[in-house]
Amino acid sequence: QKIAPMSLIFLTMNNLSTSIFLLMGLLSSLVGGWGGLNQTQTRKIMAYSSIAHLGWMATISSIMTNILIMNLLIYLITTTSVFLSLIISKSKTIQDTTSTWTLSPTLTIIMLLS
């Protein structure tokens, strides 16, 4: 989900003004944040989180490219750990994640930290 938008951001970064990138990042962060507030399904929460993080990355791209790449790598690592934790615990909703403490306290802590 991030490779294609990030390549578009890299290609257009020099052609668009900083204010357009900041506005695009702000709007994407707002839509992702507000959209994810009332969700109970973890897939929808992760989708809105992806939209919000894309906004943050667009904002960062206007500042410094090296920080953008570092942010993308950190995002990919944390998202992968969250998805693997959800797959292992077979959780589909927030209510399902409340029962993972009895299955594996370590997995629950990893999900919390990620």
Side-chain angles (χ1 to χ4, degrees), residues 8-76:
L8 288 174
I9 287 175
F10 273 123
L11 290 173
T12 60
M13 190 168 38
N14 296 328
N15 298 333
L16 292 177
S17 68
T18 305
S19 60
I20 291 175
F21 268 112
L22 291 175
L23 180 65
M24 182 177 70
L26 176 70
L27 289 174
S28 181
S29 296
L30 288 174
V31 167
W34 280 334
L37 282 178
N38 201 21
Q39 301 300 323
T40 57
Q41 293 182 350
T42 53
R43 289 182 185 175
K44 289 182 181 179
I45 291 171
M46 294 299 285
Y48 280 114
S49 170
S50 178
I51 293 169
H53 281 95
L54 184 63
W56 285 109
M57 289 184 199
T59 304
I60 291 171
S61 70
S62 65
I63 300 168
M64 191 178 288
T65 310
N66 295 336
I67 297 174
L68 173 67
I69 294 170
M70 184 183 71
N71 187 16
L72 177 63
L73 289 174
I74 291 170
Y75 174 77
L76 290 175

Side-chain angles (χ1 to χ4, degrees), residues 81-99:
S81 68
V82 168
F83 274 124
L84 289 176
S85 300
L86 291 173
I87 289 170
I88 291 170
S89 67
K90 297 177 184 165
S91 299
K92 295 188 191 300
T93 62
I94 298 297
Q95 288 80 15
D96 294 341
T97 59
T98 59
S99 63

